[in-house]
Amino acid sequence: EADVQRVLDEYVLEGAIREEDLLQDARPWGNYAEDYRPLVEFCRSSASAGSEIRVVAANAPRRYVSLVARGGISALERLLAADAEARQLLPPLPLPPASAAYRRKFQETIASQMPPPSPAQQQQGSAGSCPFIGFRAEDVREVKPEMMQAQLL
């Protein structure tokens, strides 16, 4: 996420911090060790050999993605009106609309990964939720505008 760029630079380019510090402060995804670590370590070894390859923390911070998933892009715009520094961590706004094909693929992918509902959720008519962003399985099936805006962020 963009707000951890400095931590990545300290590890990859400067070799100033330990991997343990990187893992604690950079909030890596669960598949970091398998899917990202080899690339990060390659870039780090290149930097120590004199050829800097920067790892870019390109994703929007989760807190902003979550905000948009819950309140739409207008909630983020209100926050940005009061906090200009946050804008540096985000892509240029307004976001372009998603194509129909992208929207369909997003819906299929996310719906296939939603956890099955617990017995209590079934009784309540709910069908699970995303632990990271907070949207519900029903929201995925409906492809609410806020969810698509969050995905595009």
Side-chain angles (χ1 to χ4, degrees):
E1 298 167 30
D3 60 338
V4 299
Q5 185 65 57
R6 184 72 196 129
V7 175
L8 270 171
D9 289 348
E10 288 170 355
Y11 181 72
V12 174
L13 299 179
E14 298 166 24
I17 64 172
R18 304 171 303 162
E19 184 176 31
E20 294 83 15
D21 301 319
L22 169 75
L23 296 175
Q24 177 180 323
D25 294 346
R27 304 180 313 269
W29 291 24
N31 60 339
Y32 171 79
E34 301 84 24
D35 297 333
Y36 294 92
R37 186 176 187 273
L39 180 61
V40 169
E41 293 303 319
F42 173 79
C43 294
R44 187 172 198 224
S45 65
S46 295
S48 66
S51 299
E52 288 188 356
I53 302 173
R54 187 177 198 206
V55 176
V56 177
N59 290 353
R62 270 178 238 176
R63 62 188 179 273
Y64 301 138
V65 176
S66 177
L67 174 66
V68 172
R70 290 178 284 112
I73 201 71
S74 61
L76 179 63
E77 289 169 342
R78 284 190 299 276
L79 176 74
L80 295 177
D83 184 359
E85 282 185 43
R87 190 172 293 278
Q88 297 172 0
L89 303 173
L90 299 167
L93 297 175
L95 299 170
S99 68
Y102 184 88
R103 186 179 168 91
R104 224 177 6 266
K105 184 66 174 174
F106 171 74
Q107 182 180 16
E108 291 168 6
T109 301
I110 296 299
S112 72
Q113 296 176 16
M114 294 302 291
S118 68
Q121 289 172 323
Q122 287 176 338
Q123 285 181 339
Q124 296 170 353
S126 179
S129 64
C130 173
F132 301 108
I133 299 175
F135 53 76
R136 301 167 303 137
E138 299 89 53
D139 298 336
V140 172
R141 283 189 284 285
E142 294 173 22
V143 191
K144 292 190 173 182
E146 297 85 358
M147 288 182 43
M148 189 54 56
Q149 291 169 349
Q151 175 62 23
L152 294 171
L153 190 58

